[in-house]
Amino acid sequence: MKLILRLPDIFFAILFAVIHPIYKALHMKRAYGRVIWHLEACGFADQGVTAKEVFRSLYWNGIDSYRLLARIPSATARVCYENEDILREALLQGPVVALSIHQGAFENLHRSLCRYSEHVHLITNPFKSNTLTQTLRKIRSDKNLQEYNTDQVATVLRNMFRTKGILAMVVDQARDARGNTVKLFGQNTTLYLRLPQKANQMGAGIVTFRTYCETSKGFCGFKHRKHVVRFEKYYPPKYNKDALITSIAHEIESWITEHPEQWTWNYHRNFLA
């Protein structure tokens, strides 16, 4: 896999040019069509954001995500971190839930937290294929990262408080979970904040953070991609429950507004609350 990821960007650019029209034709009534509908409903189509831009960003951010997880030096050199003191100072107070969304090269988010704690706890949904689940866990692995299944919530909470570490979560998508109904861009949707709420009421702080890609002109017309991991806000333990949900929803809406082409608009449960 590392060998494939080390191929030059021109190879992946040609591959995208080939597969994009095929994917579009086969998925107009599924993922591709959903992106078009969501962009229109949320007002981004009027701003010129297209489904092709969304899928191009998903494609390149996905490639860079796995380059980062594979620790390829040319990829890791293009990551910068902002507002790190927000998380460092929060950890001095006790355990922290670090919240983000599926935007940018999001597969790198949880690994990036291992810079700040020796005890990062991550809940993931297993795939139907056990082989695929184990392969991705191996790719994501780090000596400071412990991965759990969705049925191990009690264990995760116990270990987070015992180690005074970090519980890492993305809260805009989930399977077989109860969420919180909020409004994003005037549309009802779901954020999965019940576990962070519970941890917060038990004494954990919450730090919101995100990643996004910035591009500039590069060699032979190819874009140079820099990935920013940015820590945003700290919510102290026992924060007002309703205010917590409202504030995080507003943050997420602002993140998507800044980089609408980099969010996973194709997810099939978006805007179904």
Side-chain angles (χ1 to χ4, degrees):
M1 183 175 182
K2 274 192 177 183
L3 180 62
I4 294 174
L5 291 172
R6 287 180 185 273
L7 290 172
D9 281 357
I10 189 171
F11 168 82
F12 292 105
I14 293 170
L15 184 60
F16 180 81
V18 171
I19 65 176
H20 173 261
I22 299 172
Y23 182 87
K24 178 180 178 180
L26 295 176
H27 292 80
M28 279 303 297
K29 293 184 178 180
R30 292 183 287 172
Y32 209 94
R34 280 197 299 273
V35 173
I36 294 173
W37 305 327
H38 293 332
L39 290 173
E40 290 176 350
C42 296
F44 288 102
D46 294 337
Q47 299 176 27
V49 182
T50 66
K52 184 175 182 179
E53 285 183 274
V54 171
F55 282 98
R56 183 187 287 114
S57 290
L58 286 171
Y59 179 80
W60 283 110
N61 280 326
I63 290 169
D64 282 347
S65 283
Y66 289 105
R67 283 171 167 169
L68 291 168
L69 291 179
R71 296 183 171 90
I72 294 175
S74 60
T76 57
R78 292 186 281 112
V79 180
C80 69
Y81 299 86
E82 297 183 355
N83 302 335
E84 295 177 284
D85 285 347
I86 292 176
L87 180 60
R88 289 191 172 121
E89 291 174 9
L91 285 167
L92 293 176
Q93 309 303 315
V96 170
V97 181
L99 300 185
S100 194
I101 60 173
H102 290 82
Q103 186 179 39
F106 58 82
E107 288 283 5
N108 184 50
L109 281 170
H110 307 125
R111 172 78 67 75
S112 69
L113 295 173
C114 296
R115 293 163 50 92
Y116 309 100
S117 174
E118 295 180 357
H119 305 286
V120 178
H121 308 282
L122 172 64
I123 300 176
T124 58
N125 284 298
F127 292 89
K128 291 182 180 179
S129 168
N130 185 60
T131 300
L132 179 58
T133 297
Q134 295 306 317
T135 299
L136 288 176
R137 285 191 171 185
K138 183 177 180 180
I139 293 170
R140 283 193 295 250
S141 65
D142 186 275
K143 64 183 178 64
N144 293 343
L145 179 67
Q146 177 66 48
E147 195 164 340
Y148 305 81
N149 291 330
T150 50
D151 59 358
Q152 296 178 291
V153 170
T155 301
V156 174
L157 285 173
R158 183 169 60 251
N159 289 346
M160 177 187 66
F161 280 98
R162 178 180 58 81
T163 62
K164 295 182 173 59
I166 300 172
L167 169 57
M169 295 186 66
V170 284
V171 297
D172 56 334
Q173 300 175 14
R175 290 203 310 263
D176 304 319
R178 292 177 62 208
N180 309 78
T181 300
V182 302
K183 283 192 179 295
L184 294 181
F185 311 107
Q187 310 293 314
N188 283 340
T189 193
T190 302
L191 295 178
Y192 297 90
L193 295 169
R194 291 181 182 273
L195 179 55
Q197 272 186 312
K198 181 175 183 179
N200 182 252
Q201 292 304 304
M202 292 172 64
I206 292 177
V207 170
T208 55
F209 76 124
R210 57 173 167 149
T211 185
Y212 54 90
C213 179
E214 294 182 337
T215 60
S216 58
K217 290 184 179 180
F219 180 71
C220 291
F222 281 93
K223 290 184 177 180
H224 177 78
R225 299 185 301 282
K226 179 179 78 171
H227 296 280
V228 179
V229 177
R230 180 182 174 88
F231 297 93
E232 296 288 353
K233 187 171 181 178
Y234 171 62
Y235 298 88
K238 302 186 185 301
Y239 202 85
N240 179 275
K241 290 183 180 180
D242 293 334
L244 179 68
I245 300 300
T246 301
S247 182
I248 291 175
H250 285 166
E251 281 195 78
I252 290 173
E253 184 174 274
S254 72
W255 300 348
I256 297 170
T257 299
E258 286 184 30
H259 301 282
E261 78 288 351
Q262 295 187 42
W263 190 50
T264 52
W265 294 90
N266 57 310
Y267 187 62
H268 70 281
R269 293 187 183 179
N270 287 343
F271 307 112
L272 294 178

